[in-house]
Amino acid sequence: MNIYGKWALAISMFLTSINLCQSQIYEVYDQQYNLVQKINNDHIFLLSESIRVSDKDKKLKLLNHSYEPFIELEGAEIYQYLAPWIIVTNEGKFGAYHEYGEQILKAEYDHIDTHYNQLLANKGNVYFHYDIGNQTFQTLGTFQDAFIAQNGQVIAKIPSGYLLPLSSNPKQKYQDLSSVSDGTIVSHEPSGFGMINRKGEYILDPILDSLSHIEGEYFYGYNENQYMLIKALEDDADIRYSSYHKISLEDDDVILEYIHGKLRRVMKKDGILLDIVGMQEVVRKDPEHYNVYFKNGKVGLLDQKGVWRVIPMEGVTAIYPGNEDLFGAVKDHQFGFVNRSGNLVIPFQFNAVNKFSEGLAGVKTDNQWGYIDRNGDLVINYQFDEVGEFNRGLAIVKKNGKSNLIDTKGNLLLKDYYNAISLSDDQYYITEENDLYGIVDPLGKEITAPIFQSIRRDGYDRIIVQRNNKFGILKDDGELALPIYYQAILVDNATNKILAEDIYTPPLLEDPKDKKKKNK
């Protein structure tokens, strides 16, 4: 045996000894952290709140609420879970199960595409389709490629074009098909562009010179000098607005109508947003607001409902979306605040401003940020490099490249500045320092400094933390509910149980023969 063979044998024996000596166990706790169950020699993971899987001994099994197997899946591993489908793989092939455990496709396909209640699978260039609604499995045919469109139709590529094999006319050939929305496929034929619904039927014949998707089921089309705003319905294409005057889909998705070459209307996706004479330019300030510029020098702030948030006013070059009926505005590169009537409330004196929140707004002067109140009085001194908006009485600020939290009086709430602070969806703050993480409660009380590799709040009074590659659970008061000891922690919300994973290594027992030799 050569040296490489000896090494391979040694490694194999070592791995075998590890497998023989170690086993995964789970301590199962209730919500009060009382131990209620132990699971020996298993490996469990959760696909969703209702799906538990074991892959013990490389066998996939679905588990019930008591973590006992009730069905074995044919496959070496789970490739993907997209409700309600579990996609498994085995030796490079794919199979599919419904999340309730019913096998739909054996693991013998090259690829499986999922879409709600549908599966599209292929073996080479032969494609198969399953619909759980009517529980039908069918061979669709041989194609160069095929995929499930957003609207549920299957688009199949053939050398001479495209087919819709699930439609009522599966042999009809299309020059080009594009999946653009949940309800509509856009077709392009020599005669023009058209729209196809979920049934695979034309709701607008391919006659348009151009057709662009705006958003949702709204489209912008042009045909024979006529401009159209169209909404795709289930069985029809509803032309919401049409005009022989030019409608232009401009940068930032601003839709404008020009009459005899002059800007006349701001359009929304299904009609007129603003019809007024004297406009010169429209600029989107954010997804919901526009600055409308007039030839007489006035500027207004318009929202997506066609309401003036700030009526057109003179003396400003831009107006920004705001809060609390105050809006940042610019004149001669200086910022101030105006109200909805276009009256100046706080003079132009700042280098930059933020929106008002909880009665305060961040303002910048000489490269430093502070906060003013609604009267324009400085209430938190200029001292920060960056400031955020207040949320429940707290704001994130930065100084010298590091972050802290302040209250509405400007008091620092954390004893240390950190590399980063971010607000989570549940209103807790995550702190970060040197790639380690901590957490602060919504009132600004620090639960723990950033000392953990990872940190995640998972329910009331439960924070899962990781340190030195081990996991534990903190309470909101910073005390440990479970020690930082486990390989992993799973929270099963369906059963209200917490699974703490450990690796058990039994003690090595001395061979009695060796013991006798030592005694001699």
Side-chain angles (χ1 to χ4, degrees):
M1 182 182 293
N2 60 33
I3 187 171
Y4 300 105
K6 290 180 180 178
W7 273 111
L9 180 60
I11 292 172
S12 175
M13 292 175 65
F14 173 76
L15 292 175
T16 301
S17 67
I18 290 293
N19 290 332
L20 289 174
C21 295
Q22 292 184 338
S23 63
Q24 287 166 300
I25 64 172
Y26 290 87
E27 296 175 354
V28 183
Y29 295 89
D30 62 19
Q31 297 294 304
Q32 288 72 46
Y33 303 104
N34 299 308
L35 182 64
V36 296
Q37 183 182 356
K38 276 196 174 184
I39 303 170
N40 294 316
N41 192 25
D42 207 343
H43 180 240
I44 297 171
F45 54 98
L46 306 178
L47 291 184
S48 70
E49 289 194 358
S50 59
I51 303 177
R52 302 154 201 81
V53 180
S54 164
D55 61 0
K56 175 185 175 182
D57 300 327
K58 296 184 178 181
K59 294 182 179 180
L60 297 174
K61 297 178 181 179
L62 297 184
L63 308 179
N64 60 22
H65 282 198
S66 299
Y67 308 104
E68 298 170 341
F70 68 90
I71 191 169
E72 183 173 330
L73 308 180
E74 292 182 7
E77 62 183 51
I78 290 178
Y79 171 75
Q80 186 181 60
Y81 170 66
L82 289 173
W85 304 113
I86 302 172
I87 308 300
V88 298
T89 63
N90 188 36
E91 297 181 353
K93 297 295 183 180
F94 295 85
Y97 283 81
H98 189 272
E99 61 187 3
Y100 295 150
E102 178 186 3
Q103 186 180 47
I104 306 299
L105 300 176
K106 289 182 174 294
E108 57 189 26
Y109 296 89
D110 296 329
H111 179 73
I112 296 177
D113 192 11
T114 69
H115 182 272
Y116 298 107
N117 291 330
Q118 300 180 73
L119 295 173
L120 180 68
N122 68 287
K123 295 179 180 179
N125 292 118
V126 181
Y127 285 81
F128 308 86
H129 180 263
Y130 178 80
D131 188 328
I132 198 172
N134 51 33
Q135 296 187 332
T136 57
F137 178 83
Q138 59 179 316
T139 303
L140 296 183
T142 301
F143 313 117
Q144 289 179 314
D145 191 17
F147 65 96
I148 304 178
Q150 295 179 55
N151 73 347
Q153 278 291 318
V154 170
I155 297 178
K157 179 74 171 69
I158 58 175
S160 57
Y162 294 86
L163 302 175
L164 294 175
L166 293 183
S167 69
S168 58
N169 190 0
K171 294 183 180 180
Q172 180 176 346
K173 189 178 69 174
Y174 303 86
Q175 177 179 289
D176 191 24
L177 296 174
S178 300
S179 174
V180 297
S181 73
D182 290 343
T184 309
I185 293 171
V186 171
S187 76
H188 185 200
E189 300 297 323
S191 58
F193 291 86
M195 303 167 71
I196 297 171
N197 66 9
R198 291 187 178 94
K199 300 175 185 177
E201 301 170 348
Y202 270 113
I203 56 174
L204 180 65
D205 290 335
I207 58 172
L208 299 185
D209 297 332
S210 65
L211 184 64
S212 301
H213 180 234
I214 299 175
E215 64 177 43
E217 296 305 320
Y218 291 92
F219 295 80
Y220 162 71
Y222 173 76
N223 187 48
E224 296 180 350
N225 297 322
Q226 186 177 9
Y227 299 85
M228 291 165 281
L229 297 177
I230 307 166
K231 183 176 183 181
L233 304 178
E234 191 66 32
D235 296 307
D236 189 22
D238 182 12
I239 299 176
R240 294 296 181 93
Y241 183 84
S242 65
S243 175
Y244 286 101
H245 298 289
K246 181 182 178 181
I247 297 176
S248 175
L249 184 60
E250 303 194 352
D251 293 341
D252 298 324
D253 293 330
V254 176
I255 310 172
L256 303 176
E257 183 176 5
Y258 295 83
I259 297 179
H260 304 304
K262 296 180 179 180
L263 177 58
R264 174 60 183 270
R265 296 185 178 110
V266 182
M267 309 300 295
K268 53 185 177 179
K269 57 193 177 184
D270 59 350
I272 299 172
L273 184 67
L274 175 68
D275 185 350
I276 193 169
V277 176
M279 287 187 294
Q280 186 173 32
E281 185 182 8
V282 179
V283 177
R284 188 184 289 274
K285 302 306 290 183
D286 68 10
E288 298 180 352
H289 297 86
Y290 309 85
N291 270 177
V292 181
Y293 293 84
F294 292 86
K295 294 178 182 179
N296 61 8
K298 290 186 176 182
V299 184
L301 183 67
L302 186 74
D303 69 16
Q304 277 197 320
K305 296 180 180 179
V307 176
W308 288 112
R309 306 306 298 173
V310 177
I311 65 172
M313 59 176 293
E314 295 177 343
V316 298
T317 54
I319 306 172
Y320 290 86
N323 288 328
E324 302 177 3
D325 289 331
L326 288 175
F327 304 84
V330 183
K331 179 181 181 180
D332 298 330
H333 306 293
Q334 293 288 297
F335 287 78
F337 287 90
V338 299
N339 61 19
R340 297 186 68 171
S341 299
N343 297 319
L344 183 64
V345 177
I346 299 174
F348 301 104
Q349 56 185 306
F350 308 109
N351 299 136
V353 298
N354 288 343
K355 294 179 182 179
F356 268 88
S357 56
E358 301 182 7
L360 300 176
V363 294
K364 182 181 181 182
T365 298
D366 296 330
N367 293 320
Q368 292 287 293
W369 285 84
Y371 288 87
I372 60 172
D373 62 18
R374 293 177 59 86
N375 297 318
D377 296 328
L378 186 69
V379 295
I380 298 177
N381 288 330
Y382 298 107
Q383 56 187 298
F384 303 111
D385 300 331
E386 296 179 35
V387 297
E389 295 178 24
F390 277 93
N391 177 68
R392 296 186 178 185
L394 306 182
I396 302 171
V397 296
K398 277 191 174 183
K399 192 173 185 178
N400 299 323
K402 292 205 165 187
S403 299
N404 208 320
L405 291 172
I406 61 170
D407 61 20
T408 55
K409 297 184 182 300
N411 298 312
L412 292 173
L413 301 183
L414 307 179
K415 64 179 181 179
D416 295 312
Y417 278 80
Y418 296 125
N419 287 343
I421 300 176
S422 57
L423 180 62
S424 66
D425 291 339
D426 56 5
Q427 306 301 312
Y428 282 66
Y429 293 87
I430 304 300
T431 58
E432 180 179 355
E433 181 75 13
N434 298 325
D435 295 325
L436 297 175
Y437 300 90
I439 191 168
V440 179
D441 75 13
L443 300 178
K445 177 184 176 183
E446 188 167 40
I447 298 172
T448 175
I451 59 173
F452 296 104
Q453 290 171 272
S454 67
I455 194 163
R456 176 172 60 90
R457 188 169 179 271
D458 195 312
Y460 171 72
D461 206 24
R462 184 169 64 228
I463 304 166
I464 299 175
V465 296
Q466 179 189 20
R467 186 165 60 195
N468 298 326
N469 296 318
K470 299 285 188 178
F471 291 85
I473 295 181
L474 285 181
K475 294 183 178 181
D476 275 7
D477 61 6
E479 296 296 321
L480 281 169
L482 289 181
I484 304 171
Y485 166 80
Y486 298 98
Q487 301 295 314
I489 290 178
L490 307 176
V491 177
D492 189 343
N493 291 314
T495 62
N496 291 319
K497 297 294 191 301
I498 299 165
L499 284 71
E501 178 185 349
D502 190 19
I503 294 180
Y504 172 67
T505 303
L508 293 176
L509 299 177
E510 189 173 16
D511 191 319
K513 295 181 181 178
D514 294 336
K515 188 174 183 180
K516 289 180 180 179
K517 291 179 182 178
K518 288 181 181 179
N519 290 336
K520 287 181 181 181

